[in-house]
PDB file of all heavy atoms in Angstrom:
ATOM      1  N   GLU A  39      21.070 -28.051 -14.163  1.00  0.00           N
ATOM      2  CA  GLU A  39      19.669 -27.751 -13.876  1.00  0.00           C
ATOM      3  C   GLU A  39      19.275 -28.127 -12.455  1.00  0.00           C
ATOM      4  O   GLU A  39      18.294 -27.631 -11.938  1.00  0.00           O
ATOM      5  CB  GLU A  39      18.762 -28.498 -14.849  1.00  0.00           C
ATOM      6  CG  GLU A  39      18.859 -28.019 -16.270  1.00  0.00           C
ATOM      7  CD  GLU A  39      17.859 -28.733 -17.141  1.00  0.00           C
ATOM      8  OE1 GLU A  39      17.615 -29.941 -16.927  1.00  0.00           O
ATOM      9  OE2 GLU A  39      17.308 -28.063 -18.033  1.00  0.00           O
ATOM     10  N   ASP A  40      20.018 -29.034 -11.840  1.00  0.00           N
ATOM     11  CA  ASP A  40      19.670 -29.548 -10.521  1.00  0.00           C
ATOM     12  C   ASP A  40      20.790 -29.233  -9.541  1.00  0.00           C
ATOM     13  O   ASP A  40      21.944 -29.556  -9.801  1.00  0.00           O
ATOM     14  CB  ASP A  40      19.482 -31.066 -10.564  1.00  0.00           C
ATOM     15  CG  ASP A  40      18.465 -31.495 -11.607  1.00  0.00           C
ATOM     16  OD1 ASP A  40      17.498 -30.765 -11.852  1.00  0.00           O
ATOM     17  OD2 ASP A  40      18.652 -32.579 -12.168  1.00  0.00           O
ATOM     18  N   PHE A  41      20.450 -28.594  -8.432  1.00  0.00           N
ATOM     19  CA  PHE A  41      21.469 -28.342  -7.424  1.00  0.00           C
ATOM     20  C   PHE A  41      20.832 -28.066  -6.074  1.00  0.00           C
ATOM     21  O   PHE A  41      19.652 -27.758  -5.965  1.00  0.00           O
ATOM     22  CB  PHE A  41      22.409 -27.199  -7.826  1.00  0.00           C
ATOM     23  CG  PHE A  41      21.746 -25.893  -8.163  1.00  0.00           C
ATOM     24  CD1 PHE A  41      21.518 -24.942  -7.185  1.00  0.00           C
ATOM     25  CD2 PHE A  41      21.374 -25.597  -9.464  1.00  0.00           C
ATOM     26  CE1 PHE A  41      20.931 -23.728  -7.483  1.00  0.00           C
ATOM     27  CE2 PHE A  41      20.784 -24.390  -9.780  1.00  0.00           C
ATOM     28  CZ  PHE A  41      20.558 -23.450  -8.786  1.00  0.00           C
ATOM     29  N   LEU A  42      21.653 -28.219  -5.063  1.00  0.00           N
ATOM     30  CA  LEU A  42      21.277 -27.914  -3.696  1.00  0.00           C
ATOM     31  C   LEU A  42      22.256 -26.856  -3.208  1.00  0.00           C
ATOM     32  O   LEU A  42      23.463 -27.068  -3.216  1.00  0.00           O
ATOM     33  CB  LEU A  42      21.369 -29.155  -2.809  1.00  0.00           C
ATOM     34  CG  LEU A  42      21.093 -28.954  -1.329  1.00  0.00           C
ATOM     35  CD1 LEU A  42      19.610 -28.627  -1.114  1.00  0.00           C
ATOM     36  CD2 LEU A  42      21.458 -30.205  -0.560  1.00  0.00           C
ATOM     37  N   LEU A  43      21.725 -25.712  -2.814  1.00  0.00           N
ATOM     38  CA  LEU A  43      22.544 -24.614  -2.319  1.00  0.00           C
ATOM     39  C   LEU A  43      22.404 -24.552  -0.810  1.00  0.00           C
ATOM     40  O   LEU A  43      21.295 -24.612  -0.275  1.00  0.00           O
ATOM     41  CB  LEU A  43      22.072 -23.290  -2.940  1.00  0.00           C
ATOM     42  CG  LEU A  43      22.698 -22.007  -2.431  1.00  0.00           C
ATOM     43  CD1 LEU A  43      24.180 -21.959  -2.748  1.00  0.00           C
ATOM     44  CD2 LEU A  43      21.996 -20.806  -3.019  1.00  0.00           C
ATOM     45  N   CYS A  44      23.505 -24.443  -0.124  1.00  0.00           N
ATOM     46  CA  CYS A  44      23.511 -24.319   1.336  1.00  0.00           C
ATOM     47  C   CYS A  44      24.149 -22.973   1.667  1.00  0.00           C
ATOM     48  O   CYS A  44      25.323 -22.747   1.396  1.00  0.00           O
ATOM     49  CB  CYS A  44      24.307 -25.467   1.969  1.00  0.00           C
ATOM     50  SG  CYS A  44      24.405 -25.353   3.758  1.00  0.00           S
ATOM     51  N   GLN A  45      23.355 -22.083   2.237  1.00  0.00           N
ATOM     52  CA  GLN A  45      23.840 -20.763   2.614  1.00  0.00           C
ATOM     53  C   GLN A  45      23.873 -20.676   4.130  1.00  0.00           C
ATOM     54  O   GLN A  45      22.839 -20.769   4.798  1.00  0.00           O
ATOM     55  CB  GLN A  45      22.933 -19.668   2.056  1.00  0.00           C
ATOM     56  CG  GLN A  45      23.377 -18.296   2.500  1.00  0.00           C
ATOM     57  CD  GLN A  45      22.276 -17.259   2.395  1.00  0.00           C
ATOM     58  OE1 GLN A  45      21.146 -17.556   2.069  1.00  0.00           O
ATOM     59  NE2 GLN A  45      22.632 -16.023   2.687  1.00  0.00           N
ATOM     60  N   VAL A  46      25.066 -20.508   4.687  1.00  0.00           N
ATOM     61  CA  VAL A  46      25.209 -20.335   6.131  1.00  0.00           C
ATOM     62  C   VAL A  46      25.318 -18.837   6.390  1.00  0.00           C
ATOM     63  O   VAL A  46      26.293 -18.211   6.011  1.00  0.00           O
ATOM     64  CB  VAL A  46      26.450 -21.077   6.683  1.00  0.00           C
ATOM     65  CG1 VAL A  46      26.565 -20.871   8.188  1.00  0.00           C
ATOM     66  CG2 VAL A  46      26.383 -22.557   6.333  1.00  0.00           C
ATOM     67  N   GLY A  47      24.289 -18.297   7.013  1.00  0.00           N
ATOM     68  CA  GLY A  47      24.266 -16.876   7.322  1.00  0.00           C
ATOM     69  C   GLY A  47      24.683 -16.609   8.757  1.00  0.00           C
ATOM     70  O   GLY A  47      25.228 -17.483   9.439  1.00  0.00           O
ATOM     71  N   ALA A  48      24.406 -15.428   9.217  1.00  0.00           N
ATOM     72  CA  ALA A  48      24.784 -15.048  10.575  1.00  0.00           C
ATOM     73  C   ALA A  48      23.990 -15.827  11.624  1.00  0.00           C
ATOM     74  O   ALA A  48      24.553 -16.310  12.596  1.00  0.00           O
ATOM     75  CB  ALA A  48      24.581 -13.553  10.773  1.00  0.00           C
ATOM     76  N   GLU A  49      22.698 -15.960  11.416  1.00  0.00           N
ATOM     77  CA  GLU A  49      21.843 -16.629  12.401  1.00  0.00           C
ATOM     78  C   GLU A  49      21.156 -17.881  11.868  1.00  0.00           C
ATOM     79  O   GLU A  49      20.650 -18.668  12.654  1.00  0.00           O
ATOM     80  CB  GLU A  49      20.772 -15.663  12.924  1.00  0.00           C
ATOM     81  CG  GLU A  49      21.328 -14.474  13.678  1.00  0.00           C
ATOM     82  CD  GLU A  49      22.019 -14.843  14.985  1.00  0.00           C
ATOM     83  OE1 GLU A  49      21.757 -15.927  15.533  1.00  0.00           O
ATOM     84  OE2 GLU A  49      22.834 -14.032  15.458  1.00  0.00           O
ATOM     85  N   MET A  50      21.104 -18.053  10.564  1.00  0.00           N
ATOM     86  CA  MET A  50      20.359 -19.167   9.965  1.00  0.00           C
ATOM     87  C   MET A  50      21.203 -19.860   8.901  1.00  0.00           C
ATOM     88  O   MET A  50      22.071 -19.256   8.284  1.00  0.00           O
ATOM     89  CB  MET A  50      19.092 -18.649   9.263  1.00  0.00           C
ATOM     90  CG  MET A  50      18.118 -17.914  10.138  1.00  0.00           C
ATOM     91  SD  MET A  50      17.198 -18.990  11.218  1.00  0.00           S
ATOM     92  CE  MET A  50      16.153 -19.839  10.080  1.00  0.00           C
ATOM     93  N   THR A  51      20.898 -21.124   8.697  1.00  0.00           N
ATOM     94  CA  THR A  51      21.413 -21.864   7.549  1.00  0.00           C
ATOM     95  C   THR A  51      20.207 -22.183   6.684  1.00  0.00           C
ATOM     96  O   THR A  51      19.177 -22.636   7.191  1.00  0.00           O
ATOM     97  CB  THR A  51      22.119 -23.158   7.984  1.00  0.00           C
ATOM     98  OG1 THR A  51      23.272 -22.814   8.763  1.00  0.00           O
ATOM     99  CG2 THR A  51      22.555 -23.984   6.783  1.00  0.00           C
ATOM    100  N   GLU A  52      20.321 -21.920   5.399  1.00  0.00           N
ATOM    101  CA  GLU A  52      19.211 -22.147   4.480  1.00  0.00           C
ATOM    102  C   GLU A  52      19.648 -23.113   3.386  1.00  0.00           C
ATOM    103  O   GLU A  52      20.722 -22.975   2.819  1.00  0.00           O
ATOM    104  CB  GLU A  52      18.760 -20.822   3.858  1.00  0.00           C
ATOM    105  CG  GLU A  52      17.547 -20.956   2.989  1.00  0.00           C
ATOM    106  CD  GLU A  52      16.953 -19.612   2.600  1.00  0.00           C
ATOM    107  OE1 GLU A  52      17.675 -18.607   2.587  1.00  0.00           O
ATOM    108  OE2 GLU A  52      15.759 -19.586   2.287  1.00  0.00           O
ATOM    109  N   LEU A  53      18.789 -24.097   3.131  1.00  0.00           N
ATOM    110  CA  LEU A  53      19.004 -25.048   2.048  1.00  0.00           C
ATOM    111  C   LEU A  53      18.004 -24.723   0.951  1.00  0.00           C
ATOM    112  O   LEU A  53      16.818 -24.530   1.226  1.00  0.00           O
ATOM    113  CB  LEU A  53      18.788 -26.475   2.542  1.00  0.00           C
ATOM    114  CG  LEU A  53      19.637 -26.899   3.724  1.00  0.00           C
ATOM    115  CD1 LEU A  53      19.206 -28.273   4.209  1.00  0.00           C
ATOM    116  CD2 LEU A  53      21.096 -26.889   3.356  1.00  0.00           C
ATOM    117  N   ILE A  54      18.498 -24.673  -0.264  1.00  0.00           N
ATOM    118  CA  ILE A  54      17.666 -24.298  -1.403  1.00  0.00           C
ATOM    119  C   ILE A  54      17.782 -25.413  -2.440  1.00  0.00           C
ATOM    120  O   ILE A  54      18.878 -25.704  -2.920  1.00  0.00           O
ATOM    121  CB  ILE A  54      18.128 -22.953  -1.997  1.00  0.00           C
ATOM    122  CG1 ILE A  54      18.088 -21.865  -0.926  1.00  0.00           C
ATOM    123  CG2 ILE A  54      17.299 -22.587  -3.219  1.00  0.00           C
ATOM    124  CD1 ILE A  54      18.867 -20.613  -1.273  1.00  0.00           C
ATOM    125  N   LEU A  55      16.657 -26.031  -2.761  1.00  0.00           N
ATOM    126  CA  LEU A  55      16.634 -27.139  -3.716  1.00  0.00           C
ATOM    127  C   LEU A  55      16.098 -26.662  -5.054  1.00  0.00           C
ATOM    128  O   LEU A  55      14.990 -26.121  -5.131  1.00  0.00           O
ATOM    129  CB  LEU A  55      15.758 -28.277  -3.182  1.00  0.00           C
ATOM    130  CG  LEU A  55      15.594 -29.483  -4.099  1.00  0.00           C
ATOM    131  CD1 LEU A  55      16.932 -30.175  -4.314  1.00  0.00           C
ATOM    132  CD2 LEU A  55      14.578 -30.448  -3.509  1.00  0.00           C
TER     133      LEU A  55
END
Side-chain angles (χ1 to χ4, degrees):
E39 292 184 323
D40 305 327
F41 55 90
L42 176 69
L43 173 64
C44 178
Q45 177 200 5
V46 180
E49 296 294 339
M50 301 286 290
T51 296
E52 185 169 25
L53 304 173
I54 302 164
L55 178 64

